[in-house]
Amino acid sequence: MTGKRAITVALAGNPNSGKTSLYNALTGARQSVGNWPGVTVEKKEGRFIYQGHEVTVVDLPGTYALDAYTLDERVAREYLVAEKPDAVVAVVDASNLERNLYLVAQLLELGATVVVALNMVDIAQSRGIEIDTAQLEKVLGVKVVTTVASMGVGIETLKRVVHDIQRAPPPPGLTISYGRDIEAGIEQLVGPIVAAWPGRSSQARWLALKLLEGDPEAVARLGDDEQAARVRETLAVVRARLERRLDLDIETAVVERRYGFLNGVAHECTRHRADLLRRISLTDRIDSVVTNRWVGIPIFLLLMWGTFQLVFRVGAPLSGLIERLFGWLGSVISSGLALVQAPAWLASLLVEGIIGGVGSVLVFVPNIVILFAVIALLEESGYMARAAFVMDRFMHLLGLHGKSFIPMIIGFGCNVPAIMATRTLESRKDRILTVLVNPLMSCSARLPIYILFAGVFFSRHRGLVVFSLYLLGMVLAVLVARLFKWVFFKSESAPLIMEMPPYHLPTLRSILVHMWERAWLFVRKAGTIIALTSVVIWLLASLPWGVEYASEASVIGRLGSLLAPLLRPAGFGYWWVAVSLAAGVVAKEIVIGTMGAIHGAGPGGLADVLRQSFTPLSAYAFMVMSLVYIPCVATIAAIRRETNWKWALLSVGYTLALGWLLAVVIFQVGSLVT
Amino acid sequence: MKPLSELGVGERGVVRELSGNPASKRRLLSMGFVPGAVVDVLRKAPMGDPVAFAVKDYCISLRKEEAAQVAVEPVEELSLASAPVGARLVVTGMRAGWGMRHRLRRLGVGPGSELVKLSGSGHGQVLVVLGGREEHLGQGIARRLLVRLAGEAG
């Protein structure tokens, strides 16, 4: 074959089936891997080359089915129907065959060329499950490749099979028989459907089934022309007849038959089926503690508390090391520049502007690395789903959803992926509410502000002070969610139907990959946006030419002086605080960076300036302001992408008003009391 | 028939039909809550809701609202507590957590072991003959020890 036609393969699979690992193993891409429902919510594309052919891999959202009820399912189905990829690799968790095959059956009914990647066979084996792949190939009429994606096992074979299948597509495989009555109905519908859409005759049976099942999207898309009216008429006749003849409603009957068939397949192809309770016994034992009526919530809170202790206790000495490194770098560069008699402004730009700004941000890399390591561990071990389980009643009372909890926790790391993660929420209302309050979850970029201020003003209780800020953010999130729910959505809530995957020990590699990604993202941000902002601020602080660096006479000083009176009621009406907060909208890390750049020092020197300017009370008010006011630009963009401009603007407006109000109230009330 | 939400922890039901909100009904069907499927109630969340179930060989949690959409036929299982006094019994299973399983194993009780119930149809302890010895078992254990009458087919 000489034609080097581009091959496109879609990757489909249940959440928790190891689809993301497989995607990584196939394409070598780097992205996060999770163990809670729906980590892969974006459309991701990767590539691999096999024998000179380029194969594009499209990662579909993880779904349990191809019904049109959730956003993820709609996205996946829309792609498969409209784009018709050359093949679909269906990732199947070997230890949970029957339910995973449900998606495979729907893919086959859609007319897709399916290759089954029977994944996590190692875990299945350890649970006493052995799958006869030859038999599975025979009954489903598809190629089956066993893989252990997390270890890279079976990936080359999979690439070969995908490559070969495109050259010689197999005959259309499986047709599930739905029994005499339903089959007669399908047959009756196929004629009018083919007449209405001649181009889609290969999907006619699938469409007939969907119409019979009452699939809202299929019904809505019927159209209004004469042919569609014929389809609709026939549908009404067939439905009426089936309602009479079946003892179940049509939808239930269809799904029941499908599962009936798959139950047979699973039994036929699985050997040594151990008792469910024995297989999940370890998970069961852990769950009996972790979701226990009395200790479940304390354990959850303890884990959250432990996370912060870890971030501080282990992070602090490492941060000290980085701080000293940057101090040393600054002095080496300034003495080096003095040696070659470089102009004073260059030394000022490098040492005060760039090293001061970037250095005071990079100091926090250890804290952030540890935080993300813990989050990755919680996600990949399977604990996140338990956290949602344990907290759902509470979240539900507060007007949110147990699944909202997952994006909220991720929000502690970074609000941007957290907001993306809200796509797992099925109802638009829950999604928008969770998105809107997410910026109140204190992301890791705000941590540097707390660490610095709490360290300077509350050194003995800094852990407690920082914890109180996180807690305040959560409380505010709840109150705001209630308020917005009451104002914008006065309807009932979305269902909670959530898989609880078995626990497994995450590999060190996947944790490190996750950690590295996040740390790298942070460092890159520090290296680019933050360095750039540092230079801009240095410029503003140095202009007009000849003023004392970052004095009130400089451009920046004048800008800050304009804004400062607004901050006076909150106890920190200094021009340089106003400037730092304004710059912080670019990225919250920049708040401290800007202060560092203005005062020309890393955190060490900055501490003295802070001590002269703030009291513990105004420092706390400032931390609250930093927590609440305006999400960073990246977060605003994410909110706009997941919702629309209206909600993005609302999030900017309410956070600014709320932050300012809280800071003022804290300072004023606190001043009265003390 | 009763709603799945009314089964207690450790109880089992067979799905008969689904009703209510079409979106969550469809979701429940796709997740395996189809007529004929066997559902076990595994545990409740600390505040009583949601509830974790085992269906189709995996674990899933539902709020009571969703569980109420699923009508099930409770599977009445004979437990040591409900078995007639004087009957020869064979243990078929244990609806017990890890701790209780461990204790039962130490007593030599596991699936397949035979025992005779001597007394205890009320609320007190149940006296059984087990491998030639007499043992007192608490009501808690007796209710969770599933049995069938010896001589009946398994």
Side-chain angles (χ1 to χ4, degrees):
Chain A
M1 259 218 168
T2 48
K4 297 223 166 179
R5 197 176 73 83
I7 306 170
T8 304
V9 178
L11 206 58
N14 285 187
N16 308 309
S17 62
K19 187 165 73 70
T20 308
S21 303
L22 190 75
Y23 175 71
N24 284 342
L26 274 178
T27 63
R30 301 227 171 261
Q31 61 176 63
S32 62
V33 190
N35 206 359
W36 43 276
V39 68
T40 327
V41 282
E42 285 203 296
K43 182 183 173 189
K44 289 172 182 150
E45 273 190 33
R47 258 156 213 85
F48 70 84
I49 309 276
Y50 188 85
Q51 293 191 344
H53 283 76
E54 190 181 77
V55 180
T56 304
V57 183
V58 176
D59 191 23
L60 298 177
T63 61
Y64 294 103
L66 289 179
D67 311 324
Y69 282 107
T70 72
L71 183 66
D72 283 350
E73 289 179 352
R74 272 200 294 277
V75 168
R77 189 165 110 179
E78 187 54 43
Y79 177 81
L80 292 170
V81 171
E83 306 289 322
K84 294 204 186 79
D86 298 296
V88 179
V89 173
V91 189
V92 165
D93 173 3
S95 62
N96 189 357
L97 194 60
E98 188 179 336
R99 202 211 57 221
N100 273 258
L101 285 181
Y102 189 77
L103 179 66
V104 177
Q106 288 199 323
L107 286 168
L108 288 168
E109 290 188 322
L110 192 55
T113 305
V114 175
V115 176
V116 168
L118 194 62
N119 197 29
M120 308 205 276
V121 281
D122 55 335
I123 294 176
Q125 260 161 16
S126 74
R127 292 190 193 140
I129 306 167
E130 232 160 286
I131 292 169
D132 184 344
T133 50
Q135 184 65 15
L136 196 59
E137 285 190 335
K138 215 172 92 192
V139 289
L140 292 180
V142 299
K143 283 275 176 200
V144 176
V145 181
T146 55
T147 56
V148 182
S150 58
M151 316 279 252
V153 176
I155 301 304
E156 282 309 308
T157 318
L158 184 62
K159 284 182 181 173
R160 179 173 54 76
V161 169
V162 165
H163 174 261
D164 291 351
I165 211 163
Q166 178 273 335
R167 289 177 160 194
L174 168 85
T175 311
I176 296 174
S177 169
Y178 288 92
R180 207 184 54 217
D181 293 330
I182 297 176
E183 286 296 334
I186 294 173
E187 209 168 300
Q188 209 174 329
L189 271 167
V190 163
I193 288 174
V194 172
W197 298 281
R200 289 178 66 184
S201 57
S202 65
Q203 292 173 351
R205 182 184 163 85
W206 176 75
L207 211 54
L209 253 178
K210 285 288 136 190
L211 288 173
L212 277 179
E213 288 176 71
D215 185 278
E217 196 146 289
V219 173
R221 288 225 177 156
L222 266 181
D224 295 317
D225 58 13
E226 206 181 313
Q227 298 286 6
R230 279 260 300 136
V231 175
R232 219 176 255 124
E233 253 167 57
T234 318
L235 180 63
V237 173
V238 171
R239 285 194 71 107
R241 193 181 61 227
L242 286 177
E243 298 285 4
R244 274 199 317 275
R245 294 210 181 158
L246 300 169
D247 3 319
L248 298 161
D249 61 287
I250 304 170
E251 185 184 21
T252 308
V254 168
V255 181
E256 191 248 351
R257 296 287 168 125
R258 201 176 281 143
Y259 257 115
F261 172 79
L262 296 174
N263 188 262
V265 172
H267 271 284
E268 211 178 316
C269 302
T270 312
R271 276 176 301 199
H272 309 300
R273 284 165 68 94
D275 171 42
L276 170 68
L277 288 175
R278 201 166 81 221
R279 258 186 288 132
I280 61 171
S281 69
L282 178 65
T283 290
D284 196 49
R285 268 183 243 174
I286 298 173
D287 272 348
S288 66
V289 177
V290 161
T291 65
N292 179 279
R293 148 164 258 163
W294 304 111
V295 298
I297 292 174
I299 285 176
F300 168 75
L301 294 177
L302 205 70
L303 278 172
M304 294 296 108
W305 181 81
T307 304
F308 294 113
Q309 289 300 313
L310 210 63
V311 168
F312 283 105
R313 292 279 156 83
V314 183
L318 295 170
S319 298
L321 220 65
I322 294 180
E323 192 184 324
R324 275 203 298 273
L325 183 76
F326 270 89
W328 172 81
L329 197 67
S331 61
V332 163
I333 286 179
S334 40
S335 52
L337 286 173
L339 215 66
V340 298
Q341 290 179 330
W345 65 264
L346 185 63
S348 166
L349 171 65
L350 282 176
V351 176
E352 279 156 339
I354 296 177
I355 293 179
V358 173
S360 55
V361 169
L362 285 186
V363 162
F364 303 102
V365 165
N367 305 94
I368 282 152
V369 165
I370 297 168
L371 183 67
F372 275 111
V374 177
I375 288 179
L377 189 72
L378 294 178
E379 267 181 23
E380 297 191 15
S381 63
Y383 180 74
M384 280 292 197
R386 274 70 186 184
F389 178 70
V390 165
M391 298 306 290
D392 181 73
R393 179 87 190 120
F394 178 69
M395 298 299 282
H396 196 44
L397 280 175
L398 303 173
L400 287 169
H401 184 283
K403 275 193 189 170
S404 309
F405 208 85
I406 296 167
M408 300 297 243
I409 293 186
I410 300 203
F412 286 136
C414 177
N415 298 125
V416 177
I419 283 165
M420 292 176 193
T422 59
R423 286 195 198 174
T424 49
L425 286 153
E426 281 135 49
S427 97
R428 201 181 86 93
K429 182 207 69 180
D430 282 337
R431 199 161 63 235
I432 289 175
L433 280 180
T434 311
V435 164
L436 282 179
V437 300
N438 202 281
L440 294 171
M441 306 316 283
S442 192
C443 71
S444 57
R446 279 169 267 187
L447 195 57
I449 307 176
Y450 310 152
I451 295 177
L452 178 64
F453 275 75
V456 171
F457 294 97
F458 305 95
S459 57
R460 272 177 52 208
H461 303 290
R462 57 186 175 166
L464 198 69
V465 164
V466 176
F467 188 68
S468 78
L469 286 161
Y470 278 82
L471 206 65
L472 177 71
M474 289 190 262
V475 171
L476 287 175
V478 162
L479 295 177
V480 170
R482 288 240 79 154
L483 178 75
F484 285 167
K485 188 181 183 184
W486 181 74
V487 175
F488 298 111
F489 317 94
K490 284 185 191 165
S491 59
E492 88 238 56
S493 61
L496 177 103
I497 300 174
M498 180 179 66
E499 183 186 3
M500 313 253 277
Y503 290 101
H504 73 93
L505 211 59
T507 57
L508 186 65
R509 187 172 150 265
S510 66
I511 299 269
L512 287 178
V513 164
H514 200 102
M515 224 166 82
W516 164 249
E517 271 169 21
R518 298 298 160 178
W520 176 237
L521 213 68
F522 183 80
V523 169
R524 216 171 50 188
K525 217 156 131 192
T528 53
I529 304 173
I530 298 171
L532 205 72
T533 320
S534 299
V535 170
V536 169
I537 289 167
W538 177 85
L539 262 177
L540 292 176
S542 305
L543 295 173
W545 217 238
V547 295
E548 192 189 334
Y549 179 73
S551 64
E552 269 188 275
S554 63
V555 176
I556 206 170
R558 278 180 242 166
L559 276 174
S561 303
L562 273 176
L563 292 169
L566 294 172
L567 299 176
R568 200 156 296 139
F572 43 85
Y574 305 107
W575 62 269
W576 51 274
V577 175
V579 167
S580 307
L581 284 174
V585 176
V586 176
K588 295 286 171 99
E589 301 91 326
I590 294 181
V591 174
I592 297 299
T594 307
M595 289 184 175
I598 291 173
H599 294 292
L606 191 54
D608 291 329
V609 181
L610 294 180
R611 252 184 229 108
Q612 287 155 25
S613 318
F614 284 83
T615 63
L617 182 63
S618 65
Y620 196 80
F622 177 75
M623 286 191 277
V624 172
M625 177 78 180
S626 314
L627 162 67
V628 180
Y629 92 105
I630 310 186
C632 72
V633 176
T635 305
I636 299 171
I639 295 177
R640 194 203 68 83
R641 206 170 57 211
E642 297 305 315
T643 59
N644 57 39
W645 269 118
K646 190 182 107 193
W647 299 113
L649 287 175
L650 177 70
S651 74
V652 172
Y654 95 80
T655 50
L656 182 59
L658 185 66
W660 182 81
L661 202 71
L662 278 172
V664 169
V665 167
I666 287 171
F667 183 70
Q668 295 298 335
V669 173
S671 303
L672 288 178
V673 175
T674 51
Chain B
M1 234 173 23
K2 61 176 172 180
L4 178 59
S5 52
E6 284 175 20
L7 290 190
V9 171
E11 292 187 320
R12 169 178 286 192
V14 176
V15 177
R16 286 290 168 240
E17 60 183 34
L18 289 91
S19 55
N21 177 305
S24 44
K25 174 184 166 186
R26 177 65 196 211
R27 200 70 209 284
L28 289 165
L29 284 168
S30 304
M31 298 300 277
F33 288 91
V34 289
V38 175
V39 186
D40 286 296
V41 185
L42 292 180
R43 59 176 48 86
K44 294 187 174 176
M47 286 172 270
D49 194 19
V51 181
F53 300 97
V55 66
K56 296 273 173 205
D57 275 10
Y58 77 101
C59 176
I60 185 169
S61 62
L62 309 176
R63 274 196 207 123
K64 283 184 175 164
E65 294 163 65
E66 283 81 47
Q69 287 184 261
V70 183
V72 294
E73 193 76 62
V75 176
E76 296 294 346
E77 281 162 310
L78 195 59
S79 71
L80 178 60
S82 60
V85 172
R88 276 186 358 102
L89 306 166
V90 179
V91 175
T92 55
M94 293 171 285
R95 279 194 305 229
W98 173 61
M100 197 173 281
R101 270 163 195 268
H102 186 68
R103 259 160 54 212
L104 285 168
R105 244 197 320 272
R106 289 227 315 252
L107 283 171
V109 179
S113 49
E114 289 195 16
L115 39 81
V116 180
K117 183 174 174 182
L118 291 182
S119 72
S121 43
H123 289 287
Q125 287 192 318
V126 178
L127 184 61
V128 295
V129 177
L130 183 75
R133 321 181 297 276
E134 289 190 2
E135 294 280 355
H136 288 278
L137 297 177
Q139 269 285 322
I141 289 186
R143 269 202 303 269
R144 287 156 190 248
L145 204 58
L146 305 179
V147 295
R148 64 178 164 81
L149 297 173
E152 279 185 357

